[in-house]
Coordinates of all heavy atoms in Angstrom, one line a residue:
S96 N -10.4 -11.1 -5.8 CA -9.5 -10.2 -6.5 C -10.2 -9.6 -7.7 O -11.0 -10.3 -8.4 CB -8.3 -11.0 -7.0 OG -7.4 -11.4 -6.0
S97 N -9.9 -8.3 -8.0 CA -10.7 -7.6 -9.0 C -10.4 -8.2 -10.4 O -11.2 -7.9 -11.3 CB -10.3 -6.1 -9.0 OG -8.9 -6.0 -9.2
D98 N -9.4 -9.0 -10.6 CA -9.0 -9.5 -11.9 C -9.1 -11.0 -11.9 O -8.5 -11.7 -12.8 CB -7.6 -9.1 -12.3 CG -6.6 -9.4 -11.3 OD1 -6.9 -9.9 -10.2 OD2 -5.4 -9.1 -11.5
A99 N -9.8 -11.7 -11.0 CA -9.9 -13.1 -10.9 C -11.3 -13.6 -10.9 O -12.3 -12.8 -11.0 CB -9.1 -13.7 -9.7
V100 N -11.6 -14.9 -10.7 CA -12.9 -15.4 -11.0 C -13.4 -16.5 -10.0 O -14.6 -16.6 -9.7 CB -13.1 -15.9 -12.4 CG1 -12.1 -17.0 -12.7 CG2 -14.5 -16.3 -12.8
Y101 N -12.5 -17.4 -9.5 CA -12.9 -18.6 -8.9 C -13.2 -18.4 -7.4 O -12.7 -17.5 -6.7 CB -11.8 -19.7 -9.1 CG -11.5 -19.9 -10.5 CD1 -10.2 -19.6 -11.0 CD2 -12.4 -20.5 -11.4 CE1 -10.0 -19.8 -12.4 CE2 -12.1 -20.7 -12.7 CZ -10.9 -20.3 -13.2 OH -10.6 -20.5 -14.5
R102 N -14.0 -19.4 -6.9 CA -14.2 -19.5 -5.4 C -13.0 -20.0 -4.7 O -12.2 -20.7 -5.4 CB -15.4 -20.4 -5.1 CG -16.7 -19.9 -5.7 CD -17.8 -20.9 -5.5 NE -17.5 -22.2 -6.2 CZ -18.2 -23.3 -6.1 NH1 -19.3 -23.3 -5.3 NH2 -17.9 -24.4 -6.8
V103 N -12.8 -19.8 -3.5 CA -11.7 -20.4 -2.7 C -11.8 -21.9 -2.8 O -10.7 -22.5 -3.1 CB -11.8 -19.9 -1.2 CG1 -10.8 -20.7 -0.4 CG2 -11.6 -18.4 -1.1
I104 N -12.9 -22.5 -2.7 CA -13.0 -23.9 -2.7 C -12.7 -24.5 -4.1 O -12.1 -25.6 -4.1 CB -14.4 -24.4 -2.2 CG1 -14.4 -25.9 -1.9 CG2 -15.5 -24.0 -3.3 CD1 -13.6 -26.3 -0.7
D105 N -12.9 -23.7 -5.1 CA -12.5 -24.2 -6.5 C -11.0 -24.3 -6.5 O -10.5 -25.4 -7.0 CB -12.9 -23.2 -7.5 CG -14.4 -23.0 -7.7 OD1 -15.1 -24.0 -7.4 OD2 -14.9 -21.9 -8.0
Q106 N -10.3 -23.3 -6.1 CA -8.8 -23.4 -6.1 C -8.3 -24.5 -5.2 O -7.3 -25.2 -5.5 CB -8.2 -22.0 -5.7 CG -8.6 -20.9 -6.6 CD -7.7 -20.9 -7.9 OE1 -7.4 -21.9 -8.4 NE2 -7.5 -19.7 -8.5
V107 N -8.9 -24.6 -4.0 CA -8.4 -25.6 -3.0 C -8.7 -27.0 -3.5 O -7.8 -27.9 -3.4 CB -9.0 -25.4 -1.7 CG1 -8.7 -26.5 -0.7 CG2 -8.5 -24.0 -1.1
R108 N -9.8 -27.3 -4.1 CA -10.1 -28.6 -4.6 C -9.2 -29.0 -5.7 O -8.7 -30.1 -5.8 CB -11.6 -28.7 -5.0 CG -12.5 -28.9 -3.9 CD -14.0 -29.0 -4.3 NE -14.9 -29.2 -3.3 CZ -16.2 -28.8 -3.2 NH1 -16.6 -28.1 -4.3 NH2 -17.0 -29.1 -2.2
H109 N -8.9 -28.1 -6.6 CA -8.0 -28.3 -7.7 C -6.6 -28.6 -7.2 O -5.9 -29.5 -7.6 CB -8.0 -27.2 -8.7 CG -9.2 -27.3 -9.7 ND1 -10.4 -26.7 -9.5 CD2 -9.3 -28.0 -10.9 CE1 -11.2 -27.0 -10.5 NE2 -10.5 -27.7 -11.4
G110 N -6.1 -27.7 -6.3 CA -4.8 -27.8 -5.8 C -4.6 -29.2 -5.1 O -3.6 -29.9 -5.2
N111 N -5.6 -29.6 -4.3 CA -5.6 -30.8 -3.6 C -5.5 -32.0 -4.7 O -4.8 -32.9 -4.5 CB -6.8 -31.0 -2.7 CG -6.9 -32.3 -2.1 OD1 -7.6 -33.2 -2.6 ND2 -6.3 -32.5 -0.9
A112 N -6.3 -31.9 -5.7 CA -6.4 -33.0 -6.7 C -5.0 -33.1 -7.4 O -4.6 -34.2 -7.9 CB -7.5 -32.7 -7.7
Y113 N -4.3 -32.0 -7.6 CA -3.1 -31.9 -8.3 C -1.9 -32.1 -7.3 O -0.8 -31.9 -7.7 CB -2.9 -30.7 -9.1 CG -4.0 -30.6 -10.2 CD1 -4.8 -29.4 -10.4 CD2 -4.1 -31.6 -11.1 CE1 -5.7 -29.4 -11.4 CE2 -5.1 -31.6 -12.1 CZ -5.9 -30.4 -12.2 OH -6.8 -30.4 -13.2
G114 N -2.2 -32.6 -6.1 CA -1.1 -33.0 -5.2 C -0.5 -32.0 -4.3 O 0.5 -32.3 -3.7
L115 N -1.2 -30.9 -4.0 CA -0.7 -29.9 -3.1 C -1.1 -30.2 -1.7 O -2.2 -30.5 -1.4 CB -1.2 -28.5 -3.5 CG -0.8 -28.0 -4.8 CD1 -1.1 -26.5 -5.0 CD2 0.7 -28.2 -5.1
G116 N -0.1 -30.1 -0.8 CA -0.3 -30.3 0.6 C -0.6 -29.0 1.4 O -1.0 -29.0 2.5
W117 N -0.2 -27.8 0.7 CA -0.5 -26.5 1.3 C -0.7 -25.5 0.2 O -0.2 -25.6 -0.9 CB 0.7 -26.1 2.3 CG 2.0 -26.0 1.6 CD1 2.9 -27.0 1.3 CD2 2.6 -24.8 1.0 NE1 4.0 -26.5 0.7 CE2 3.8 -25.2 0.4 CE3 2.2 -23.5 0.9 CZ2 4.7 -24.3 -0.2 CZ3 3.0 -22.6 0.2 CH2 4.2 -23.0 -0.3
M118 N -1.5 -24.5 0.5 CA -1.8 -23.4 -0.4 C -2.0 -22.1 0.4 O -2.4 -22.1 1.5 CB -3.1 -23.7 -1.2 CG -3.1 -25.1 -1.9 SD -4.8 -25.5 -2.5 CE -5.0 -24.3 -3.8
V119 N -1.7 -21.0 -0.3 CA -1.9 -19.7 0.3 C -2.9 -18.9 -0.6 O -2.6 -18.7 -1.8 CB -0.6 -18.9 0.5 CG1 -0.9 -17.6 1.3 CG2 0.4 -19.7 1.2
I120 N -4.0 -18.4 -0.1 CA -4.9 -17.6 -0.8 C -4.4 -16.1 -0.7 O -4.3 -15.6 0.4 CB -6.3 -17.7 -0.3 CG1 -6.8 -19.2 -0.3 CG2 -7.3 -16.8 -1.1 CD1 -6.8 -19.8 -1.7
T121 N -4.1 -15.5 -1.9 CA -3.4 -14.2 -1.9 C -4.2 -13.3 -2.8 O -3.7 -12.9 -3.9 CB -2.0 -14.4 -2.4 OG1 -1.9 -15.0 -3.6 CG2 -1.1 -15.2 -1.4
D122 N -5.4 -12.8 -2.4 CA -6.0 -11.8 -3.2 C -5.3 -10.5 -3.1 O -4.7 -10.2 -2.1 CB -7.5 -11.8 -2.8 CG -8.3 -13.0 -3.2 OD1 -8.3 -13.3 -4.4 OD2 -8.8 -13.7 -2.3
H123 N -5.5 -9.7 -4.2 CA -4.8 -8.4 -4.3 C -5.1 -7.5 -3.2 O -6.3 -7.3 -2.8 CB -5.1 -7.8 -5.6 CG -4.5 -8.4 -6.8 ND1 -3.2 -8.4 -7.1 CD2 -5.1 -9.2 -7.8 CE1 -3.0 -9.1 -8.3 NE2 -4.1 -9.5 -8.7
G124 N -4.0 -6.9 -2.7 CA -4.2 -5.7 -1.8 C -4.8 -4.6 -2.6 O -4.7 -4.5 -3.8
G125 N -5.5 -3.7 -1.9 CA -6.2 -2.6 -2.5 C -7.3 -2.1 -1.7 O -7.7 -2.7 -0.6
A126 N -7.9 -1.0 -2.1 CA -8.9 -0.3 -1.2 C -10.1 -1.2 -0.9 O -10.5 -1.3 0.3 CB -9.4 1.0 -1.9
T127 N -10.6 -1.9 -1.9 CA -11.8 -2.7 -1.6 C -11.5 -3.9 -0.8 O -12.2 -4.3 0.2 CB -12.5 -3.2 -3.0 OG1 -12.8 -2.0 -3.7 CG2 -13.7 -4.0 -2.7
H128 N -10.3 -4.6 -1.1 CA -9.9 -5.7 -0.3 C -9.6 -5.3 1.1 O -10.0 -6.0 2.1 CB -8.7 -6.4 -1.0 CG -8.3 -7.7 -0.3 ND1 -7.3 -7.8 0.6 CD2 -8.8 -8.9 -0.5 CE1 -7.2 -9.0 1.0 NE2 -8.0 -9.8 0.3
A129 N -8.9 -4.2 1.3 CA -8.6 -3.8 2.6 C -9.8 -3.4 3.5 O -9.9 -3.6 4.7 CB -7.6 -2.5 2.6
K130 N -10.8 -2.9 2.8 CA -12.0 -2.5 3.5 C -12.9 -3.6 3.9 O -13.4 -3.7 5.0 CB -12.8 -1.5 2.6 CG -14.0 -0.9 3.2 CD -14.7 0.1 2.2 CE -16.0 0.7 2.8 NZ -16.6 1.6 1.8
I131 N -13.2 -4.5 2.9 CA -14.1 -5.6 3.2 C -13.7 -7.0 2.7 O -14.0 -8.0 3.3 CB -15.5 -5.3 2.6 CG1 -15.4 -5.0 1.1 CG2 -16.3 -4.3 3.3 CD1 -16.8 -4.7 0.4
G132 N -12.9 -7.1 1.6 CA -12.5 -8.3 1.1 C -11.7 -9.2 2.0 O -12.0 -10.5 2.1
V133 N -10.8 -8.7 2.8 CA -10.0 -9.4 3.7 C -10.8 -10.1 4.8 O -10.5 -11.2 5.2 CB -8.8 -8.6 4.3 CG1 -9.4 -7.5 5.2 CG2 -7.8 -9.4 5.0
D134 N -11.9 -9.4 5.1 CA -12.8 -10.0 6.1 C -13.7 -11.1 5.5 O -13.9 -12.2 6.0 CB -13.8 -9.0 6.7 CG -13.0 -7.8 7.4 OD1 -12.7 -8.0 8.6 OD2 -12.8 -6.8 6.7
K135 N -14.2 -10.8 4.3 CA -15.2 -11.7 3.7 C -14.7 -13.0 3.1 O -15.4 -14.0 3.0 CB -16.0 -10.9 2.6 CG -16.8 -9.8 3.2 CD -17.6 -9.0 2.1 CE -18.8 -9.8 1.6 NZ -19.7 -8.9 0.8
V136 N -13.4 -13.0 2.7 CA -12.8 -14.2 2.2 C -12.5 -15.2 3.3 O -12.5 -16.4 3.1 CB -11.5 -13.9 1.4 CG1 -10.4 -13.5 2.4 CG2 -11.1 -15.1 0.6
N137 N -12.4 -14.7 4.6 CA -12.0 -15.7 5.6 C -13.0 -16.8 5.9 O -12.5 -18.0 6.0 CB -11.8 -14.9 6.9 CG -11.3 -15.8 8.1 OD1 -12.1 -16.1 8.9 ND2 -10.1 -16.2 8.1
P138 N -14.3 -16.6 5.9 CA -15.2 -17.7 6.1 C -15.0 -18.8 5.0 O -15.2 -20.0 5.3 CB -16.6 -17.1 6.2 CG -16.3 -15.7 6.6 CD -15.0 -15.3 6.0
D139 N -14.8 -18.3 3.8 CA -14.6 -19.3 2.7 C -13.3 -20.1 2.9 O -13.3 -21.3 2.6 CB -14.5 -18.5 1.4 CG -15.8 -17.9 1.0 OD1 -16.8 -17.9 1.8 OD2 -15.9 -17.3 -0.1
I140 N -12.3 -19.4 3.4 CA -11.0 -20.2 3.7 C -11.2 -21.2 4.8 O -10.8 -22.3 4.8 CB -9.9 -19.2 4.0 CG1 -9.5 -18.4 2.8 CG2 -8.7 -19.9 4.6 CD1 -8.5 -17.2 3.0
V141 N -11.9 -20.7 5.9 CA -12.2 -21.6 7.0 C -13.0 -22.8 6.5 O -12.8 -24.0 6.9 CB -12.9 -20.9 8.1 CG1 -13.4 -21.8 9.2 CG2 -12.0 -19.8 8.7
A142 N -14.0 -22.6 5.7 CA -14.8 -23.7 5.2 C -14.0 -24.6 4.3 O -14.2 -25.8 4.3 CB -16.0 -23.1 4.4
A143 N -13.1 -24.1 3.5 CA -12.2 -24.9 2.7 C -11.3 -25.8 3.5 O -11.1 -27.0 3.2 CB -11.4 -24.1 1.7
R144 N -10.8 -25.2 4.6 CA -10.0 -26.0 5.6 C -10.8 -27.2 6.1 O -10.2 -28.3 6.2 CB -9.5 -25.2 6.7 CG -8.5 -24.1 6.4 CD -8.3 -23.1 7.6 NE -7.3 -22.1 7.2 CZ -7.2 -20.9 7.9 NH1 -8.0 -20.7 8.9 NH2 -6.3 -20.0 7.5
D145 N -12.0 -27.0 6.4 CA -12.9 -28.0 6.9 C -13.2 -29.1 5.9 O -13.3 -30.3 6.2 CB -14.1 -27.4 7.5 CG -14.9 -28.4 8.3 OD1 -14.4 -29.0 9.3 OD2 -16.1 -28.6 8.0
A146 N -13.4 -28.6 4.6 CA -13.9 -29.5 3.6 C -12.8 -30.3 3.0 O -13.0 -31.5 2.6 CB -14.5 -28.7 2.5
V147 N -11.5 -29.8 3.0 CA -10.4 -30.5 2.4 C -9.3 -30.6 3.5 O -8.5 -29.7 3.6 CB -9.9 -29.7 1.2 CG1 -8.7 -30.5 0.5 CG2 -11.0 -29.4 0.2
K148 N -9.4 -31.7 4.2 CA -8.6 -31.9 5.4 C -7.1 -32.1 5.1 O -6.3 -31.9 5.9 CB -9.1 -33.0 6.2 CG -10.5 -32.8 6.8 CD -10.4 -31.9 8.0 CE -11.6 -32.0 9.0 NZ -12.8 -31.6 8.4
D149 N -6.8 -32.6 3.9 CA -5.4 -33.0 3.7 C -4.7 -32.0 2.8 O -3.6 -32.3 2.2 CB -5.3 -34.4 3.1 CG -6.2 -34.6 1.8 OD1 -7.0 -33.7 1.6 OD2 -6.0 -35.6 1.2
T150 N -5.2 -30.7 2.7 CA -4.4 -29.6 2.2 C -4.6 -28.4 3.2 O -5.7 -28.1 3.6 CB -5.0 -29.2 0.8 OG1 -4.8 -30.3 -0.1 CG2 -4.2 -28.0 0.3
L151 N -3.4 -27.9 3.6 CA -3.4 -26.8 4.5 C -3.7 -25.5 3.7 O -3.1 -25.3 2.7 CB -2.0 -26.7 5.2 CG -1.6 -27.9 6.0 CD1 -0.1 -27.8 6.3 CD2 -2.4 -28.0 7.2
V152 N -4.6 -24.7 4.2 CA -5.0 -23.5 3.4 C -4.8 -22.3 4.3 O -5.4 -22.0 5.3 CB -6.5 -23.5 3.1 CG1 -6.9 -22.3 2.2 CG2 -6.9 -24.8 2.3
F153 N -3.8 -21.5 3.9 CA -3.4 -20.3 4.6 C -4.2 -19.1 4.0 O -4.5 -19.0 2.8 CB -1.9 -20.0 4.4 CG -0.9 -20.9 5.0 CD1 -0.5 -22.0 4.4 CD2 -0.4 -20.6 6.3 CE1 0.5 -22.9 4.9 CE2 0.5 -21.5 6.9 CZ 1.0 -22.6 6.2
Q154 N -4.4 -18.1 4.9 CA -4.9 -16.8 4.4 C -3.7 -15.9 4.3 O -3.0 -15.7 5.3 CB -6.0 -16.2 5.3 CG -6.5 -14.9 4.8 CD -7.8 -14.4 5.5 OE1 -8.4 -15.1 6.2 NE2 -8.2 -13.2 5.1
G155 N -3.7 -15.2 3.2 CA -2.6 -14.2 2.9 C -3.2 -13.1 2.1 O -4.4 -13.0 1.9
L156 N -2.3 -12.4 1.5 CA -2.7 -11.4 0.5 C -1.6 -11.1 -0.4 O -0.4 -11.4 -0.1 CB -3.3 -10.1 1.1 CG -2.4 -9.3 2.1 CD1 -1.5 -8.3 1.4 CD2 -3.2 -8.6 3.1
E157 N -1.9 -10.5 -1.6 CA -0.8 -10.1 -2.4 C -0.6 -8.6 -2.2 O -1.4 -7.8 -2.6 CB -1.0 -10.4 -3.9 CG 0.2 -10.0 -4.8 CD 0.3 -10.6 -6.1 OE1 -0.8 -10.9 -6.7 OE2 1.4 -10.8 -6.7

Side-chain angles (χ1 to χ4, degrees):
S96 286
S97 62
D98 54 355
V100 61
Y101 304 111
R102 298 173 298 172
V103 171
I104 194 65
D105 297 330
Q106 296 285 31
V107 173
R108 282 180 176 150
H109 277 92
N111 175 268
Y113 296 127
L115 297 189
W117 61 273
M118 306 170 67
V119 187
I120 303 300
T121 54
D122 289 303
H123 288 288
T127 302
H128 186 264
K130 184 179 178 183
I131 51 178
V133 67
D134 301 275
K135 293 180 76 170
V136 72
N137 180 259
D139 291 4
I140 290 173
V141 171
R144 290 170 182 160
D145 189 55
V147 184
K148 292 286 201 296
D149 52 352
T150 298
L151 303 166
V152 186
F153 292 91
Q154 181 166 352
L156 58 86
E157 187 162 25

